[in-house]
Amino acid sequence: MHDARVLIDLGDEAVRLLARRGYTLDLSALEALQSRRNSGIQAGDELRARSKQVAQEVQRTAKQGGDVGELKETARALKEQVQQNEAELEQVRQELTDLLLTIPNLPDDEAPDGFSDADARELRRVGEPPRFDFTPKDHVDLGEAMGILDFGRAAKLSGSRFSVLRGAGAALERAIASLLLDVHTRRHGYVEHAVPYLVNRRTMTGTGQLPKFEEDLFKTGVADRDLFLIPTAEVPLTNLYADEIVPPAELPLALTAYTPCFRSEAGSYGRDTRGLIRMHQFSKVEMVRICAAEQAREQMQLMVSHAEACLQELELAYRVVALAAGDTGFSAQLTYDLEVWLPGQETYREISSVSDFGTFQGRRAGIRTRDEKGKPTPAATINGSGLPLARTIAAVLEQHQQADGSVLLPKALHPYLGFARIAADGTPVEE
């Protein structure tokens, strides 16, 4: 969430920056609400001071034996005015908060202009996409032919955009998750967490999913409270420190978790309906870092390298792109996407997004640290996928497929699997 004063001070520059991401800032409405809030605070202070003064006059007059009737009436009237002022001020504060909660983060100058993935700027490519002397299959045809992917039975259970992994496929998902967690915790210094998959409205608001994206969430309830299934472990991991002041000496914090993720994918029907690319339920290893504001960009670059390390461990060809300002997520000021090569589609597809949120989430969630003078100040947050299991499985199957329909598995996975290849009939093969 923004500091209204900062947006107002930026003025036309804030309007320009937000226009880069397709948002029209009504600066006059924001200024009017901020002015009403400031006037309300000033009026309240004056009323309370006057009320205190009259109360003292009542005591002084009473001690002197004077008539306090009129003074008491004045005191009662002032008390009512104070209460009315507080109610009006609370309403204005809520209106201001509601407006600020809908304003996306300001895009960084590094983000290129544009509104779609076609406007992203490629930063680098790593690894050569595999070349085949046969026509490569996509992961759906491969997985179903081997019997390790079953979309038909998943549809029977839950409808479209669900999957069932079987045998070596289920073992492959478990092995990739274990590898990724080990890479992040043993090599990169992240602390693994097991977190709730259901969170409250305050938690979803803290990281920016609410109020704007409620239609994208699965909502349920327990007793007297609304709960939402998490769309990513970013939500509970970041909000672990909501309404806390993290000592500077403990920063940066590096957190990771392996969780299921649930997304309604509202408005996305007709896109990526085949296979593992866009699911209602999938598993993911997530990375979150919390740091001082001046550390954020350095920490983002570090996280990008951590996501890249996972792709390199899995021997996957990929590229890194900077997303266009208008294609950047609501809470982010800059996002790098890691896109993995999918031979079945003959294109690069996003497998990890690493985003620098600046202090945007810190303000919303009340995550703070202290500056050099000891004053509480919003902390910065960064998050990234490290990696989503479904898309990673798709990439492993497609990039490592063989002419006979089998799949040779990356060496880093062999200790976790106990086998090195999945035969064309889905049988694990030790080699």
Side-chain angles (χ1 to χ4, degrees), residues 292-318:
E294 61 271 16
Q295 299 174 313
R297 193 52 47 82
E298 174 190 351
Q299 292 295 309
M300 177 190 176
Q301 297 294 348
L302 185 62
M303 186 178 286
V304 171
S305 73
H306 295 163
E308 289 190 75
C310 295
L311 293 172
Q312 292 165 15
E313 285 289 323
L314 295 168
E315 303 168 32
L316 295 172
Y318 66 93

Side-chain angles (χ1 to χ4, degrees), residues 117 142 144 278 316 342 404:
D117 54 7
L142 277 167
E144 290 187 331
R278 194 178 295 274
L316 295 172
L342 290 182
D404 63 357

Side-chain angles (χ1 to χ4, degrees), residues 28-63:
S28 61
L30 180 62
E31 289 173 334
L33 282 171
Q34 181 73 357
S35 177
R36 286 171 57 196
R37 171 188 173 276
N38 293 343
S39 296
I41 291 173
Q42 181 179 351
D45 289 344
E46 292 173 354
L47 284 169
R48 281 185 290 274
R50 176 60 178 152
S51 180
K52 181 179 179 180
Q53 181 183 11
V54 169
Q56 292 171 344
E57 290 179 10
V58 169
Q59 292 178 349
R60 185 165 53 250
T61 302
K63 285 181 180 179

Side-chain angles (χ1 to χ4, degrees), residues 317-338:
Y318 66 93
R319 69 174 186 167
V320 182
V321 301
L323 290 192
D327 196 32
T328 301
F330 176 84
S331 298
Q333 59 186 20
L334 180 65
T335 296
Y336 284 3
D337 268 6
L338 280 64

Side-chain angles (χ1 to χ4, degrees), residues 126-140:
V126 180
E128 287 291 330
R131 296 180 179 180
F132 303 98
D133 56 6
F134 59 92
T135 302
K137 297 178 179 179
D138 71 8
H139 64 280
V140 178

Side-chain angles (χ1 to χ4, degrees), residues 257-323:
Y258 170 51
T259 69
C261 304
F262 306 90
R263 301 182 184 181
S264 73
E265 296 291 354
S268 68
Y269 286 90
R271 296 192 300 148
D272 298 323
T273 56
R274 177 176 168 84
L276 297 172
I277 302 302
R278 194 178 295 274
M279 310 290 289
H280 289 310
Q281 175 188 320
F282 60 96
S283 295
K284 180 155 63 92
V285 174
E286 188 77 353
M287 303 176 289
V288 166
R289 299 182 80 86
I290 300 174
C291 62
E294 61 271 16
Q295 299 174 313
R297 193 52 47 82
E298 174 190 351
Q299 292 295 309
M300 177 190 176
Q301 297 294 348
L302 185 62
M303 186 178 286
V304 171
S305 73
H306 295 163
E308 289 190 75
C310 295
L311 293 172
Q312 292 165 15
E313 285 289 323
L314 295 168
E315 303 168 32
L316 295 172
Y318 66 93
R319 69 174 186 167
V320 182
V321 301
L323 290 192

Side-chain angles (χ1 to χ4, degrees), residues 182-255:
D182 283 349
V183 167
H184 293 318
T185 57
R186 298 176 184 178
R187 188 186 306 175
H188 299 150
Y190 290 80
V191 178
E192 184 178 356
H193 290 70
V195 293
Y197 306 154
L198 288 163
V199 298
N200 58 32
R201 184 173 292 272
R202 171 75 173 89
T203 299
M204 281 291 188
T205 303
T207 38
Q209 282 73 26
L210 290 178
K212 184 175 177 58
F213 301 106
E214 187 157 355
E215 67 173 3
D216 293 324
L217 305 171
F218 287 108
K219 180 181 176 181
T220 182
V222 175
D224 59 346
R225 63 187 186 274
D226 289 340
L227 292 173
F228 298 85
L229 287 163
I230 60 171
T232 165
E234 168 203 344
V235 176
L237 284 176
T238 304
N239 281 281
L240 285 172
Y241 293 88
D243 301 317
E244 294 186 22
I245 299 177
V246 183
E250 295 181 14
L251 297 178
L253 296 172
L255 323 172

